[in-house]
Each structure stands twice: as structure tokens, then as C-alpha cells.
């Protein structure tokens, strides 16, 4: 069906956005076979680290006192400070309310006890079905770290994955802190030493290969600091070029680079204590040019890095830009970044990932992003109609599918 005007466009776009089945390509969710690692429920949402950071600015409670509380007490304290004593206007707070509303609970009641009661009656399996269906998400990519002591045993005894949860191998410990990590590799039977000798690098490659095969990871991922450099004469530089990228090429796996995080700028906040910094784009350009047979994925944390990331993506077919990550996953910035990307890349990128750590968060992250991305798309299509170009319903659906996961999955197999 041909779309003739902005009104028709709005309707067709709403339909496409409502029916698109999202592939959520970076989350911290786990298949149910990992047991308690899959977080869900209202207390988990309230104690999300994004909210913990906001809580500490709204309370006089000493850090240690908060960390000594039970999860329920922490959730109570956050609820009181951010939802009762203040208006929950921040994106992370609003997210909790959207998720509750999507589940049929009434945020207007402000009834934490009632929400808890409702959750207590749900089973994990049914809740997963419900959340995926309500969020319009068909699958999500996990973050699987062999160094995680809770996760590793599940892989070792053979994880029986729910197919909606797709693995991705996370490699931060080996790539970023070799000095601390090599003794663990040695403990697990790899013949490694502190210095990155040829024999050690051989074994590091064996480690990556074995875990990539064991997890059947869709890609290999790492979060990098703003100071990330390549080429670099360092343990990280050597491991990256001599172990990670060769194995990625051999197995046809992209390396996802998430650049810009400054870990623990306030250590008292623990995992809520990370900050952001301006990164250089040159390392990305160097890697894409030097390793043309490798695929790379890129997301950057600082707002001021977004434009350079788009331009680098234009230059390399082996680079895929994805998501509005963490501190830029806010409506005002998603709006800006999506428009910038559409203008520079057409539909050749992944508009969003959720980064959800709590299952229920996919409800709000995708609801909020759909709305903002939809508004940006509407304007862009309207500009096309103004030229006299015509647009079919089916083309619009094709584009939306591409932006919400289709383009990424095509990138995985596109010939380089
Ligand atoms: O968004 C987050 O929850 C962050 O804490 C990080 O996990 C980040 O997304 C990462 O994957 O390093
Ligand atoms: Zn993440």
C-alpha cells in the first residue's frame, strides 16, 4: 500500500513499530537455566544500579549502611527517597513506572506492598513469556563471562538455554587486566605465564576459542575505557591483536567494542560508581582498516563521541554501530543520536539495545525507545514525501525491522 501523507505515514509507522519483533542485542539477562542470575521483579528494578546512584544523592544514609541492608530494605529505602519524597521524573525512575503499568499494575496507587504481592504470585517461566510478549521482543543477547563464578559452573555442566536467550562471550578480564587474570587461566589448565610469550598467546587463543565454542556466543564483547588505544604496546594491545582478533576471524565472530566507561569513579557506589569519558575514534578506524576480515560492533558512551562513531561507520563495511548505551539511553539523547544516525547511515545500524539487567526493564526500555525512534523516523519519511518520493507500507516495515535487529543479523553474515 502506498503512503500518501503524514497522517498515513503516522498510522503505518505505528503499525510497524507495534508489530516489529525486536532482537535485543546487548543485555545482562540470563536464560532460566542460570537460576537466580536472571533478575526480575519490583525489588530488582528498584535496586538497579542506575537508581542506586540517584538514591545516594537524595539521602544522607552512609554508603556502608545501604550495602549492609537486605535487598527488600534497599528497595524500600529507594522507593521512599526517589518515589515518595521526590517525584520519580528521571528516566530510570520513570522506567519502573512504565514497567509496572505494562504489567497491568497501577503506578498511581503507589502501592509497593501490592506490587510485591503480585510478583510473589508469578513464576519465572510465565513471567518471561509475558514480558517478551508485552515488550515485543523475540530474543535477547546475554553477556556471558567465564570469569563469573556464578555463571561458569552452569556452562561447565552444560547449559540448557531457552532459545530466546542468545549467548555472547564477554572478555573484559583477560583483555583488560591480564596481570590479575592469568593466574585463573593457569588454575583452569591453560599453560600461561605473566609475560605474553608465544606459548602463552597460543593458550590465550585456546581459552577464547574453547569458550566461544562452549557458549556458542554470537559475538565477543568488551567494555573499554575512554583511554582505549590501538595500536598499543601493552598487554591489552598484544592480546587484542594476537589472540582476540585472530580467534574472532577464525570463528567468524564480531568483536563488540563498547567504548567510554570510566570504571569506579566513585568506588563507594560499587557497580553504580562508573563514569563516562571522551574517547578517541582513531583506535576504531585503525582496527577496522588493519583487520578487514574481522567484523566489529561499536557503541560509545559519551554524547560527544556519537558523531565520530557515525562517520567511522560510514567508512567501514566491517563496522556495525549499535544502541544508545547506558548514559545516552535517555529520550533526549536517543532522539538526537537516532536522527544523526539516520542522516549519516540511512537504516544501516541498530537503533537500540536495552542493556537490561532486570527482565522487567525490557518493558520500559523498548516502550520508551520505540516512541522516540518512531518520532525521528516519522520526520525523516515526511521529508522524503516532500520530495515527491513515494513510500510503501512494506518498505516502512522493512526499515523498522532493520533498525530493531534485522540489520545486525544481516551484518553477521554479509560478505566482507
Ligand atoms: O548498563 C549497564 O548496566 C552497565 O553497568 C554496564 O553493564 C555496561 O552496559 C556494560 O556492559 O559494560
Ligand atoms: Zn551492558
Amino acid at each position: 500500500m502506498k503512503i500518501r501523507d503524514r497522517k498515513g505515514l503516522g498510522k503505518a509507522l505505528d503499525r510497524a513499530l507495534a508489530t516489529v519483533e525486536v532482537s535485543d542485542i546487548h543485555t545482562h539477562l540470563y536464560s532460566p537455566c542460570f537460576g537466580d542470575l536472571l533478575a526480575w521483579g519490583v525489588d530488582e528494578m528498584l535496586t538497579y544500579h542506575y537508581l542506586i546512584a540517584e538514591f545516594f544523592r537524595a539521602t544522607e544514609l552512609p554508603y556502608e549502611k545501604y550495602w549492609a541492608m537486605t535487598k527488600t530494605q534497599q528497595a524500600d529505602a529507594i522507593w521512599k527517597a526517589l518515589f515518595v519524597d521526590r517525584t520519580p521524573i528521571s528516566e530510570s525512575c520513570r522506567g519502573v513506572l512504565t514497567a509496572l503499568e505494562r504489567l497491568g499494575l497501577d503506578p498511581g496507587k503507589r502501592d509497593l506492598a501490592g506490587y510485591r504481592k503480585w510478583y510473589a504470585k508469578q513464576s519465572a517461566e510465565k513471567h518471561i513469556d509475558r514480558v517478551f510478549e508485552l515488550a515485543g521482543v523475540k530474543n535477547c543477547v546475554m553477556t556471558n563471562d567465564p570469569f563469573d563464578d556464578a555463571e561458569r559452573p552452569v556452562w561447565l555442566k552444560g547449559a540448557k538455554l531457552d532459545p530466546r536467550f542468545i549467548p555472547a562471550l564477554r572478555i573484559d578480564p583477560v583483555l583488560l587486566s591480564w596481570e590479575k587474570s592469568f593466574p585463573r587461566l593457569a588454575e583452569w589448565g591453560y599453560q600461561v605465564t605473566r609475560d605474553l610469550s608465544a606459548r602463552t598467546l597460543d593458550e590465550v587463543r585456546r581459552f577464547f576459542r574453547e569458550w566461544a565454542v562452549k557458549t556458542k556466543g554470537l559475538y565477543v564483547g568488551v567494555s573499554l575505557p575512554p583511554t582505549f588505544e590501538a595500536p598499543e604496546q601493552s598487554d591489552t594491545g598484544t592480546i587484542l591483536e594476537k589472540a582476540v582478533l585472530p580467534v574472532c576471524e577464525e570463528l567468524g565472530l564480531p568483536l563488540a567494542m563498547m567504548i567510554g566507561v570510566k570504571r569506579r569513579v566513585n568506588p563507594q557506589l560499587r557497580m553504580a560508581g562508573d563514569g563516562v569519558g571522551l574517547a578517541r575514534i582513531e583506535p576504531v578506524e585503525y582496527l577496522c582498516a588493519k583487520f578487514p576480515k574481522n567484523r566489529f560492533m561499536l557503541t560509545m558512551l559519551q554524547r560527544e563521541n556519537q558523531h565520530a562513531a557515525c562517520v567511522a561507520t560510514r567508512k567501514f563495511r566491517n563496522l556495525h554501530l549499535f544502541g544508545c548505551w547506558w548514559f545516552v539511553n535517555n529520550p533526549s539523547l536517543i532522539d538526537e543520536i537516532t536522527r544523526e544516525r539516520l542522516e549519516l547511515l540511512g537504516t544501516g545500524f541498530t537503533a537500540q539495545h536495552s542493556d537490561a539487567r532486570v527482565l522487567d526493564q525490557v518493558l520500559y526500555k523498548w516502550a520508551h525507545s520505540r516512541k522516540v525512534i518512531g518520532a525521528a523516523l516519522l520526520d525523516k519519511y515526511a521529508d522524503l514525501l516532500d520530495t515527491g518520493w513515494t513510500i510503501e507500507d512494506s518498505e516502512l516495515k522493512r526499515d523498522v525491522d532493520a533498525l530493531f535487529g534485522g540489520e545486525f543479523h544481516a551484518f553477521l553474515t554479509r560478505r566482507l
Side-chain angles (χ1 to χ4, degrees):
M1 208 174 59
K2 214 164 248 158
I3 297 164
R4 307 206 171 271
D5 51 23
R6 195 170 169 113
K7 197 157 153 235
L9 206 52
K11 278 198 186 144
L13 201 49
D14 284 349
R15 267 198 307 274
L17 288 163
T19 53
V20 62
E21 296 191 324
V22 174
S23 183
D24 191 347
I25 72 170
H26 171 59
T27 76
H28 298 266
L29 300 175
Y30 288 89
S31 170
C33 63
F34 290 92
D36 287 347
L37 285 178
L38 174 65
W40 59 283
V42 67
D43 287 352
E44 294 289 352
M45 280 199 284
L46 287 170
T47 54
Y48 186 28
H49 68 92
Y50 293 26
L51 284 155
I52 292 174
E54 292 173 27
F55 165 73
F56 275 115
R57 296 189 35 80
T59 179
E60 291 177 346
L61 190 74
Y63 295 110
E64 350 38 280
K65 285 229 163 104
Y66 174 84
W67 295 116
M69 288 174 169
T70 64
K71 179 147 287 178
T72 315
Q73 290 169 333
Q74 293 174 339
D76 281 337
I78 292 180
W79 176 259
K80 179 169 183 321
L82 297 180
F83 293 77
V84 178
D85 296 347
R86 293 176 180 232
T87 300
I89 208 163
S90 76
E91 177 65 5
S92 318
C93 288
R94 173 188 167 222
V96 177
L97 306 179
T98 302
L100 294 174
E101 185 271 327
R102 295 280 144 144
L103 289 166
L105 299 165
D106 180 2
K109 283 198 177 143
R110 306 187 180 193
D111 178 16
L112 180 54
Y115 308 143
R116 282 177 173 151
K117 235 186 238 156
W118 182 85
Y119 270 106
K121 287 192 235 132
Q122 314 306 317
S123 73
E125 274 72 17
K126 283 235 175 71
H127 196 57
I128 296 171
D129 292 344
R130 183 187 295 120
V131 169
F132 274 66
E133 196 188 316
L134 289 172
V137 171
K138 68 175 170 208
N139 54 41
C140 67
V141 180
M142 302 183 280
T143 295
N144 301 109
D145 178 2
F147 277 68
D148 184 324
D149 292 329
E151 188 176 339
R152 196 177 55 259
V154 183
W155 289 112
L156 292 177
K157 71 171 197 286
K160 292 226 163 15
L161 298 180
D162 176 325
R164 288 170 295 187
F165 294 82
I166 302 169
L169 180 64
R170 187 73 176 238
I171 58 163
D172 303 28
V174 173
L175 185 60
L176 301 180
S177 24
W178 175 245
E179 199 169 323
K180 281 200 215 123
S181 307
F182 86 90
R184 304 264 3 234
L185 256 60
E187 197 184 298
W188 297 333
Y190 297 93
Q191 307 290 305
V192 292
T193 50
R194 168 72 187 81
D195 63 333
L196 291 164
S197 63
R199 169 88 182 129
T200 292
L201 283 167
D202 228 15
E203 286 291 273
V204 176
R205 283 191 290 272
R206 181 163 76 87
F207 169 75
F208 287 140
R209 195 179 297 118
E210 287 179 355
W211 275 93
V213 169
K214 193 189 297 297
T215 58
K216 298 203 182 70
L218 191 63
Y219 60 79
V220 172
V222 62
S223 280
L224 296 159
T227 50
F228 172 61
E229 277 301 339
E232 189 182 68
Q233 286 197 332
S234 64
D235 292 344
T236 297
T238 306
I239 294 171
L240 177 62
E241 295 203 28
K242 301 258 166 66
V244 176
L245 291 175
V247 173
C248 283
E249 189 198 331
E250 179 189 317
L251 301 178
L253 299 175
L255 174 68
M257 300 179 290
M258 308 197 290
I259 309 178
V261 56
K262 285 198 298 222
R263 294 290 182 201
R264 303 290 192 264
V265 295
N266 180 355
Q268 305 265 34
L269 289 176
R270 302 196 182 172
M271 78 168 307
D274 298 342
V276 60
L278 186 68
R280 276 166 26 91
I281 199 67
E282 286 77 3
V284 175
E285 294 167 344
Y286 162 79
L287 290 168
C288 291
K290 168 100 190 281
F291 297 90
K293 291 202 206 114
N294 276 83
R295 277 167 231 275
F296 296 91
M297 296 157 62
L298 174 68
T299 195
M300 299 188 86
L301 198 51
Q302 176 140 322
R303 180 190 183 193
E304 291 73 16
N305 271 137
Q306 304 304 324
H307 183 243
C310 286
V311 175
T313 303
R314 287 170 68 88
K315 305 297 151 189
F316 297 100
R317 70 196 316 179
N318 59 340
L319 181 59
H320 183 82
L321 188 59
F322 73 101
C324 299
W325 181 28
W326 196 350
F327 304 118
V328 289
N329 189 351
N330 294 308
S332 61
L333 295 169
I334 300 168
D335 180 63
E336 171 183 300
I337 294 168
T338 304
R339 286 169 195 268
E340 186 173 46
R341 289 175 177 174
L342 288 168
E343 287 158 10
L344 283 159
L345 300 167
T347 57
F349 66 98
T350 298
Q352 189 56 300
H353 66 267
S354 77
D355 230 318
R357 283 178 181 270
V358 181
L359 177 65
D360 314 68
Q361 291 167 341
V362 302
L363 290 165
Y364 93 75
K365 302 238 188 188
W366 286 106
H368 294 184
S369 287
R370 265 190 171 86
K371 190 169 157 198
V372 180
I373 294 163
L377 275 172
L378 182 66
D379 286 346
K380 296 296 163 201
Y381 286 122
D383 288 345
L384 291 183
L385 288 185
D386 286 348
T387 71
W389 183 255
T390 56
I391 302 166
E392 298 279 335
D393 231 4
S394 57
E395 292 169 336
L396 212 141
K397 190 175 158 14
R398 173 199 62 196
D399 296 350
V400 170
D401 286 349
L403 290 169
F404 285 80
E407 178 67 20
F408 169 65
H409 289 277
F411 166 77
L412 292 176
T413 52
R414 193 175 290 145
R415 206 173 319 133
L416 291 177

